[in-house]
Amino acid sequence: MKRVSILFVCMGNICRSPLAEGILARIAREAGLADRFKIDSAGTGGWHQGKQPDRRSIAIARAHGIDITEQRARHIRPDDFEEFDLVLAMDRANVAELRAMAPGAGNIMLFGDAALQTGEDIPDPYYGGPEGFELIYTRLLTGCIALVETLGADQASLSGKTSSVR
């Protein structure tokens, strides 16, 4: 089966998108499908380039058994639109920026459409407290489980296989 490449994108690549990257990698690994996915994250802005994810994203990931401390923020590159099958933006502002960067790219989608089927934005928790990070963790987990179930081999149900990340 073809390997599916997914790039998660938020504004600075320190809160939502690195958390989504870590969650999807963990779910795919626990489902025995890690080799079926190429997963990365990037930001529409480059001001955090080279930095670790926000300490609150690291903390919420750690609380759910996921280590994202090795990730480093990066700015989206023009070749990302060619390299990845799906470029999943966390909110509509990110979608608009990505489409301005690559007007002809047909692989740019809102995470809320592609993964959650709700059309919702994943809100930026940067200026809030820990409850905002827990909220986005829950939404990202739900969407990432759906992505693995939809894009993974066998359409296998993941219930029970992701208990350590819930």
Short mmCIF file of all heavy atoms in Angstrom, two decimals, residues 29 35 40 47 64 67 77 82 88 90-92 100 104 142-143 146 150-153 157 165-166:
data_model
loop_
_atom_site.label_atom_id
_atom_site.label_comp_id
_atom_site.label_asym_id
_atom_site.label_seq_id
_atom_site.Cartn_x
_atom_site.Cartn_y
_atom_site.Cartn_z
N ARG A 29 1.78 4.16 15.12
CA ARG A 29 2.72 3.17 15.67
C ARG A 29 1.96 2.10 16.46
O ARG A 29 2.19 0.91 16.29
CB ARG A 29 3.78 3.86 16.52
CG ARG A 29 4.87 2.95 17.03
CD ARG A 29 6.01 3.69 17.72
NE ARG A 29 5.57 4.50 18.85
CZ ARG A 29 5.48 5.83 18.86
NH1 ARG A 29 5.81 6.52 17.77
NH2 ARG A 29 5.08 6.48 19.92
N ASP A 35 4.71 2.48 9.33
CA ASP A 35 5.39 2.47 8.03
C ASP A 35 4.49 2.95 6.90
O ASP A 35 4.95 3.19 5.79
CB ASP A 35 5.92 1.08 7.72
CG ASP A 35 4.83 0.03 7.63
OD1 ASP A 35 3.77 0.18 8.30
OD2 ASP A 35 5.02 -0.95 6.88
N ASP A 40 4.82 15.09 9.47
CA ASP A 40 5.65 16.23 9.82
C ASP A 40 4.73 17.39 10.17
O ASP A 40 3.51 17.28 10.05
CB ASP A 40 6.56 16.60 8.64
CG ASP A 40 7.75 17.46 9.03
OD1 ASP A 40 7.92 17.79 10.23
OD2 ASP A 40 8.53 17.82 8.13
N TRP A 47 8.95 32.61 12.82
CA TRP A 47 9.59 33.28 13.96
C TRP A 47 10.01 32.34 15.08
O TRP A 47 10.81 32.72 15.92
CB TRP A 47 8.70 34.41 14.50
CG TRP A 47 7.29 34.01 14.75
CD1 TRP A 47 6.77 33.51 15.89
CD2 TRP A 47 6.23 34.08 13.81
NE1 TRP A 47 5.43 33.25 15.73
CE2 TRP A 47 5.07 33.59 14.45
CE3 TRP A 47 6.13 34.49 12.48
CZ2 TRP A 47 3.84 33.50 13.82
CZ3 TRP A 47 4.89 34.39 11.86
CH2 TRP A 47 3.78 33.92 12.52
N HIS A 64 -0.13 12.48 28.28
CA HIS A 64 -0.82 11.41 27.55
C HIS A 64 0.16 10.40 26.96
O HIS A 64 -0.19 9.64 26.04
CB HIS A 64 -1.70 12.02 26.45
CG HIS A 64 -2.85 12.78 27.00
ND1 HIS A 64 -4.01 12.19 27.43
CD2 HIS A 64 -3.01 14.12 27.24
CE1 HIS A 64 -4.84 13.10 27.89
NE2 HIS A 64 -4.25 14.29 27.77
N ASP A 67 5.97 11.90 23.59
CA ASP A 67 7.14 12.77 23.73
C ASP A 67 7.34 13.55 22.43
O ASP A 67 7.61 12.97 21.38
CB ASP A 67 8.39 11.94 24.03
CG ASP A 67 9.64 12.78 24.24
OD1 ASP A 67 9.56 14.03 24.23
OD2 ASP A 67 10.72 12.18 24.41
N ARG A 77 7.84 25.22 3.56
CA ARG A 77 8.68 25.45 2.37
C ARG A 77 7.86 25.22 1.11
O ARG A 77 6.91 24.43 1.13
CB ARG A 77 9.87 24.49 2.38
CG ARG A 77 10.78 24.61 3.58
CD ARG A 77 11.91 23.60 3.51
NE ARG A 77 11.44 22.22 3.52
CZ ARG A 77 11.50 21.40 4.57
NH1 ARG A 77 12.03 21.80 5.70
NH2 ARG A 77 11.05 20.16 4.48
N GLU A 82 4.46 19.91 -2.75
CA GLU A 82 4.70 18.81 -3.69
C GLU A 82 4.99 17.51 -2.94
O GLU A 82 4.60 16.43 -3.37
CB GLU A 82 5.91 19.13 -4.59
CG GLU A 82 5.76 20.37 -5.43
CD GLU A 82 4.80 20.17 -6.58
OE1 GLU A 82 4.72 19.05 -7.12
OE2 GLU A 82 4.11 21.14 -6.94
N LEU A 88 -2.56 19.69 6.15
CA LEU A 88 -3.73 19.92 6.99
C LEU A 88 -3.52 21.11 7.90
O LEU A 88 -2.70 21.08 8.82
CB LEU A 88 -4.03 18.67 7.82
CG LEU A 88 -4.37 17.42 7.01
CD1 LEU A 88 -4.68 16.26 7.94
CD2 LEU A 88 -5.54 17.68 6.06
N MET A 90 -4.68 23.98 10.66
CA MET A 90 -5.46 23.93 11.90
C MET A 90 -6.65 24.89 11.92
O MET A 90 -7.62 24.64 12.62
CB MET A 90 -4.55 24.23 13.11
CG MET A 90 -3.51 23.16 13.35
SD MET A 90 -4.25 21.59 13.83
CE MET A 90 -3.42 20.47 12.74
N ASP A 91 -6.58 25.97 11.15
CA ASP A 91 -7.71 26.90 11.12
C ASP A 91 -7.81 27.56 9.75
O ASP A 91 -6.92 27.42 8.91
CB ASP A 91 -7.64 27.93 12.26
CG ASP A 91 -6.41 28.81 12.22
OD1 ASP A 91 -6.01 29.27 11.12
OD2 ASP A 91 -5.85 29.08 13.29
N ARG A 92 -8.88 28.28 9.55
CA ARG A 92 -9.13 28.90 8.25
C ARG A 92 -8.10 29.95 7.87
O ARG A 92 -7.79 30.13 6.70
CB ARG A 92 -10.55 29.48 8.23
CG ARG A 92 -11.62 28.45 8.09
CD ARG A 92 -13.02 29.02 8.29
NE ARG A 92 -14.03 27.99 8.13
CZ ARG A 92 -14.28 27.02 9.01
NH1 ARG A 92 -13.59 26.95 10.13
NH2 ARG A 92 -15.22 26.12 8.78
N ALA A 100 -2.50 31.14 -0.41
CA ALA A 100 -1.80 32.30 -0.98
C ALA A 100 -0.37 31.92 -1.36
O ALA A 100 0.16 32.41 -2.35
CB ALA A 100 -1.81 33.46 0.01
N GLY A 104 -2.13 26.92 -6.60
CA GLY A 104 -2.57 25.76 -7.38
C GLY A 104 -2.58 24.45 -6.61
O GLY A 104 -2.98 23.42 -7.15
N THR A 142 -9.07 12.86 18.43
CA THR A 142 -10.24 12.36 17.70
C THR A 142 -9.98 12.37 16.19
O THR A 142 -10.25 11.39 15.50
CB THR A 142 -11.48 13.21 18.05
OG1 THR A 142 -11.72 13.11 19.45
CG2 THR A 142 -12.71 12.75 17.28
N GLY A 143 -9.46 13.47 15.69
CA GLY A 143 -9.19 13.58 14.26
C GLY A 143 -8.09 12.65 13.78
O GLY A 143 -8.19 12.05 12.70
N ALA A 146 -9.33 9.15 13.44
CA ALA A 146 -10.11 9.04 12.20
C ALA A 146 -9.20 8.97 10.98
O ALA A 146 -9.46 8.19 10.05
CB ALA A 146 -11.08 10.21 12.08
N THR A 150 -9.12 5.88 8.45
CA THR A 150 -9.48 6.12 7.06
C THR A 150 -8.33 5.81 6.11
O THR A 150 -8.52 5.17 5.07
CB THR A 150 -9.90 7.59 6.86
OG1 THR A 150 -11.00 7.86 7.72
CG2 THR A 150 -10.29 7.86 5.42
N LEU A 151 -7.13 6.23 6.47
CA LEU A 151 -5.99 6.12 5.56
C LEU A 151 -5.12 4.89 5.78
O LEU A 151 -4.34 4.54 4.92
CB LEU A 151 -5.11 7.38 5.68
CG LEU A 151 -5.81 8.69 5.37
CD1 LEU A 151 -4.90 9.87 5.71
CD2 LEU A 151 -6.26 8.76 3.93
N GLY A 152 -5.25 4.26 6.94
CA GLY A 152 -4.46 3.08 7.26
C GLY A 152 -4.97 1.85 6.55
O GLY A 152 -6.11 1.80 6.08
N ALA A 153 -4.14 0.83 6.49
CA ALA A 153 -4.51 -0.42 5.84
C ALA A 153 -5.61 -1.12 6.62
O ALA A 153 -5.77 -0.92 7.82
CB ALA A 153 -3.30 -1.33 5.75
N SER A 157 -10.22 -1.11 13.02
CA SER A 157 -10.68 -0.29 14.14
C SER A 157 -9.55 -0.14 15.12
O SER A 157 -8.84 -1.09 15.43
CB SER A 157 -11.88 -0.94 14.82
OG SER A 157 -12.18 -0.24 15.99
N VAL A 165 -2.96 6.76 24.88
CA VAL A 165 -2.87 8.16 24.45
C VAL A 165 -4.16 8.92 24.66
O VAL A 165 -4.24 10.08 24.38
CB VAL A 165 -2.44 8.29 22.95
CG1 VAL A 165 -1.06 7.74 22.76
CG2 VAL A 165 -3.43 7.64 22.02
N ARG A 166 -5.17 8.29 25.17
CA ARG A 166 -6.46 8.96 25.38
C ARG A 166 -6.44 9.82 26.60
O ARG A 166 -5.86 9.69 27.55
CB ARG A 166 -7.59 7.96 25.47
CG ARG A 166 -7.85 7.38 24.11
CD ARG A 166 -8.96 6.35 24.18
NE ARG A 166 -8.95 5.64 22.93
CZ ARG A 166 -9.89 5.73 22.04
NH1 ARG A 166 -10.93 6.45 22.24
NH2 ARG A 166 -9.83 5.06 20.93
#
